């Protein structure tokens, strides 16, 4: 199918042609005609599938007729993070360059007065994170009763971050007669219930998750001891042909620690997490996009949906505790049919998360070996020896076992500063799971325990068969 067959205007088609896209992605093919018809859409799609254009392109045409009134946006797009919101704004600018649409972005870290000035002039498209939007609503700076098109993007992430009460409140301020587009990477019972509240007779469109990760991305697991994590990552970085890479940590604190370590060892790296100022985050991201920084050490929230084309590698320094995060992380590489590589460093205490991940991707992930594993083991042993000696523990501010210990509290996800307000009231279920240290939303029982790391061989009956492969023996020479 061609873009021209979807019913989009010549202006939008021209802009799309200039981006160089040859044909619509499956989600675009499935969603665009229905959005243009004015139907509500319930979309299951993750970032990396072309989901953003599946709603921005038809919205540009829908909004082409009509005029914006002061403080009364005509359409509203809710995003869970600032970066995603900024990216959607980029999309509108890019695809809307031949259409005369006005747009405002309401996200934390930007001055209220600039945002107010834009709203005062009247905007066709308002892109916002829920907390910041409610701030403006409460200050009487924006009225939502003129919104005719609503997009709730990354709804599953909104739920994880405890934003749903805010989203409900926002939706209650919108006119009931409107078009609603609802996107989520997964479609659980909870998501469906939520969608039922917001959508009217929606057209369901879905692109499947497993095929969208597996096709062009080489994936692998590297089994190590806790103390070997950093040396193992360095070896991997040296051995792989890394053009540029995302390196994911589960916690903000570990982003800083790992970044410091990589920089000390001469790697060209930058960091991204929710505690950094907005300008610092944008600056780092721009440097990564332009190639000035090659390695981006980041947390899930900060990296969510960041669109950098042609990323050669993704490294999971920590195994993600939410299975879906694995999909999101891996989705950074192998975009648009390009080759990608995704390697996950796994310690024994993290094996409990592999089961859910492998179920989600629909296959067992292969265990990879590392040349020079002996050196890694030696370095790891030296690190744990140093940490054992009294008075020679980690530096101030560094956790003793900064490379894998997982308390229920620290397993909770980080949030960007402007998102803290909402995340202080997470959903009950999420709280319960976090308490149990069980962040896998499927609530299955886990088999691994949190004892200190020991070699993986002979761990017992509860360990899946694939994990019983002798660890050291397979280390390549
Ligand atoms: P998204 O899922 O919206 O984050 O998009 C992922 C990436 O796919 C972005 O880099 C888009 O620019 C790109 N993209 C979107 N639509 C297409 C298309 N039809 N053909 C090729 N790339 C696309």
């Amino acid at each position: 199918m061609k873009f021209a067959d979807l019913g989009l205007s010549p202006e939008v088609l021209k802009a799309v042609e200039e981006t160089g896209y040859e044909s619509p992605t499956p989600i675009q093919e499935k969603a665009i005609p229905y959005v243009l018809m004015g139907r509500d859409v319930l979309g299951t799609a993750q970032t990396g599938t072309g989901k953003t254009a599946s709603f921005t392109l038809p919205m540009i045409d829908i909004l082409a007729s009509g005029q914006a009134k002061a403080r009364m946006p005509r359409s509203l797009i809710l995003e869970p993070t600032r970066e995603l919101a900024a990216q959607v704004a980029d999309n509108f600018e890019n695809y809307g360059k031949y259409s005369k649409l006005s747009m405002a972005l309401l996200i934390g870290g930007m001055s209220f007065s600039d945002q107010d000035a834009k709203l005062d002039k009247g905007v066709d498209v308002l892109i916002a994170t829920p907390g910041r939007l409610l701030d403006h609503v409460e200050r009487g700076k924006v009225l939502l009763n003129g919104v005719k098109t609503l997009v709730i993007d990354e709804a599953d992430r909104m739920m994880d971050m405890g934003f749903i009460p805010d989203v409900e409140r926002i939706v209650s301020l919108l006119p009931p007669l409107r078009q609603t587009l609802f996107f989520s990477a997964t479609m659980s019972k909870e998501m469906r219930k939520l969608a039922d509240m917001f959508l009217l007779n929606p057209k369901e469109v879905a692109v499947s998750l497993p095929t969208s990760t597996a096709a062009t991305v080489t994936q692998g697991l590297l089994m190590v001891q806790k103390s070997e994590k950093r040396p193992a990552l360095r070896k991997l970085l040296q051995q792989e042909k890394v053009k540029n890479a995302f390196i994911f940590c589960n916690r903000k604190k570990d982003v800083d620690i790992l970044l410091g370590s990589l920089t000390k060892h001469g790697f060209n790296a930058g960091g991204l997490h929710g505690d950094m100022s907005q300008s610092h985050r944008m600056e780092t991201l721009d440097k990564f996009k332009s190639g000035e920084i090659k390695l981006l050490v980041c947390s899930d929230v900060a990296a969510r949906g960041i669109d950098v084309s042609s990323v050669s590698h993704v490294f999971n320094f920590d195994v993600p505790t939410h299975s879906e995060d694995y999909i999101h992380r891996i989705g950074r590489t192998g975009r648009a049919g390009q080759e990608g590589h995704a390697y996950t460093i796994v310690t024994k205490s993290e094996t409990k998360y592999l089961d859910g991940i492998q179920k989600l991707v629909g296959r067992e992930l292969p265990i990879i070996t590392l040349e020079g594993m002996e050196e890694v083991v030696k370095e790891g042993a030296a690190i744990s020896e140093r940490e054992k000696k009294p008075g020679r523990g980690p530096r101030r501010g560094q956790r003793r076992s900064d490379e894998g210990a997982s308390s229920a509290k620290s397993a909770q996800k980080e949030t960007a500063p402007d998102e803290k307000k909402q995340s202080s009231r997470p959903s009950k279920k999420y709280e319960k799971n976090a308490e149990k240290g069980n962040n896998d939303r499927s609530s299955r029982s886990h088999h691994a325990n949190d004892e200190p790391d020991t070699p993986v061989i002979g761990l017992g009956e509860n360990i899946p068969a694939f994990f019983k492969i002798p660890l050291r023996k397979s280390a390549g020479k």
Side-chain angles (χ1 to χ4, degrees):
M1 188 178 265
K2 293 190 186 119
F3 273 106
D5 301 329
L6 296 176
L8 294 162
S9 69
E11 290 78 16
V12 169
L13 289 175
K14 191 171 171 210
V16 168
E17 199 187 326
E18 284 172 19
T19 59
Y21 301 160
E22 283 170 10
S23 52
T25 64
I27 187 77
Q28 291 162 3
E29 216 176 289
K30 289 178 185 178
I32 290 174
Y34 290 97
V35 181
L36 286 173
M37 271 178 218
R39 284 278 300 269
D40 281 5
V41 169
L42 175 59
T44 312
Q46 60 174 113
T47 50
T49 55
K51 162 176 67 91
T52 320
S54 79
F55 61 84
T56 48
L57 298 177
M59 276 178 76
I60 292 168
D61 280 346
I62 289 170
L63 294 164
S65 56
Q67 226 186 345
K69 291 188 198 138
R71 295 185 195 177
M72 288 180 71
R74 299 169 62 212
S75 67
L76 171 65
I77 298 167
L78 294 175
E79 293 289 339
T81 68
R82 303 160 175 192
E83 280 80 7
L84 266 175
Q87 227 161 257
V88 173
D90 287 347
N91 266 249
F92 269 104
E93 253 167 32
N94 191 13
Y95 305 134
K97 62 182 162 189
Y98 299 113
S99 318
K100 287 184 201 117
L101 289 185
S102 56
M103 180 179 69
L105 186 59
L106 298 189
I107 54 177
M110 291 174 84
S111 96
F112 273 97
S113 56
D114 289 354
Q115 296 176 329
D116 287 347
K118 277 209 166 160
L119 288 169
D120 280 346
K121 278 192 204 151
V123 292
D124 299 301
V125 185
L126 180 60
I127 305 160
T129 48
R132 191 64 165 214
L133 175 60
L134 282 177
D135 285 344
H136 282 266
V137 169
E138 275 152 22
R139 290 167 54 248
K141 296 292 177 186
V142 58
L143 298 164
L144 296 177
N145 50 339
V147 170
K148 292 283 163 27
T149 312
L150 166 71
V151 179
I152 300 173
D153 196 17
E154 307 263 342
D156 50 346
R157 180 51 59 121
M158 298 260 201
M159 181 171 278
D160 286 348
M161 294 169 83
F163 289 179
I164 296 302
D166 284 349
V167 173
E168 284 177 16
R169 180 138 181 254
I170 290 165
V171 176
S172 75
L173 301 170
L174 303 182
L177 215 61
R178 57 164 199 270
Q179 181 180 21
T180 306
L181 316 174
F182 182 102
F183 291 92
S184 173
T186 51
M187 203 46 74
S188 61
K189 262 194 203 149
E190 279 167 314
M191 277 299 114
R192 280 194 183 278
K193 239 167 111 186
L194 204 61
D196 278 350
M197 278 166 55
F198 299 144
L199 303 169
L200 203 66
N201 185 27
K203 172 70 192 167
E204 269 200 65
V205 294
V207 291
S208 69
L209 287 171
T211 47
S212 53
T213 61
T216 57
V217 180
T218 308
Q219 300 171 64
L221 307 172
L222 182 67
M223 308 304 194
V224 298
Q225 307 266 7
K226 271 192 236 171
S227 57
E228 295 165 1
K229 273 190 156 188
R230 286 189 300 220
L233 175 67
R234 290 199 294 274
K235 264 276 176 291
L236 260 177
L237 288 169
Q238 283 156 359
Q239 282 176 20
E240 285 289 306
K241 282 194 184 121
V242 179
K243 189 181 122 238
N244 54 357
F246 280 92
I247 302 173
F248 284 94
C249 295
N250 286 356
R251 291 168 286 272
K252 295 183 270 201
K253 212 178 186 179
D254 294 338
V255 169
D256 287 333
I257 294 169
L258 183 60
L259 175 62
S261 162
L262 286 170
T263 313
K264 198 182 93 194
H265 282 87
F267 288 93
N268 174 2
L272 207 66
H273 64 65
D275 275 356
M276 289 162 60
S277 70
Q278 180 68 3
S279 57
H280 192 182
R281 279 157 80 168
M282 291 296 185
E283 192 190 327
T284 306
L285 198 55
D286 284 347
K287 283 187 182 164
F288 183 63
K289 282 183 176 173
S290 72
E292 203 180 314
I293 289 174
K294 279 201 176 342
L295 307 176
L296 191 65
V297 187
C298 54
S299 62
D300 289 289
V301 170
R304 176 80 174 181
I306 285 174
D307 181 25
V308 182
S309 51
S310 62
V311 169
S312 73
H313 285 72
V314 168
F315 297 98
N316 291 320
F317 185 73
D318 298 311
V319 179
T321 54
H322 280 160
S323 311
E324 288 87 354
D325 281 337
Y326 180 83
I327 307 280
H328 291 304
R329 291 179 180 189
I330 300 318
R332 315 288 98 225
T333 183
R335 288 198 164 197
Q338 290 173 334
E339 205 184 304
H341 305 266
Y343 299 117
T344 302
I345 298 176
V346 188
T347 62
K348 182 191 146 196
S349 65
E350 293 174 298
T351 56
K352 59 187 163 212
Y353 304 120
L354 290 178
D355 199 18
I357 289 170
Q358 298 190 101
K359 273 201 181 132
L360 198 59
V361 297
R363 66 188 177 96
E364 286 186 1
L365 297 172
I367 294 180
I368 58 160
T369 58
L370 199 55
E371 272 177 49
M373 192 62 199
E374 302 76 9
E375 291 162 49
V376 170
V377 173
K378 238 197 233 165
E379 278 189 64
I383 290 172
S384 54
E385 229 8 76
R386 264 204 311 275
E387 296 202 348
K388 265 188 227 151
K389 283 192 186 151
R392 297 287 305 273
R395 286 183 296 280
R396 258 167 82 88
Q398 187 177 352
R399 267 190 299 125
R400 176 163 285 279
S401 56
D402 60 47
E403 292 170 312
S406 152
S407 69
K409 203 170 164 215
S410 63
Q412 270 201 291
K413 312 298 287 180
E414 63 140 321
T415 53
D418 67 326
E419 291 145 3
K420 277 189 178 139
K421 200 176 76 174
Q422 290 86 351
S423 54
S424 63
R425 40 187 151 95
S427 74
K428 284 249 158 55
K429 183 175 174 206
Y430 182 68
E431 260 170 358
K432 223 160 90 192
N433 282 342
E435 258 166 42
K436 285 192 295 190
N438 173 12
N439 285 316
D440 186 336
R441 284 161 229 163
S442 59
S443 304
R444 277 171 287 103
S445 64
H446 290 302
H447 40 253
N449 55 41
D450 285 324
E451 287 164 10
D453 258 5
T454 51
V456 173
I457 313 158
L459 278 179
E461 288 315 306
N462 289 335
I463 301 298
F466 75 90
F467 212 88
K468 289 183 180 164
I469 296 168
L471 177 62
R472 304 290 172 233
K473 249 164 85 183
S474 62
K477 303 254 152 64

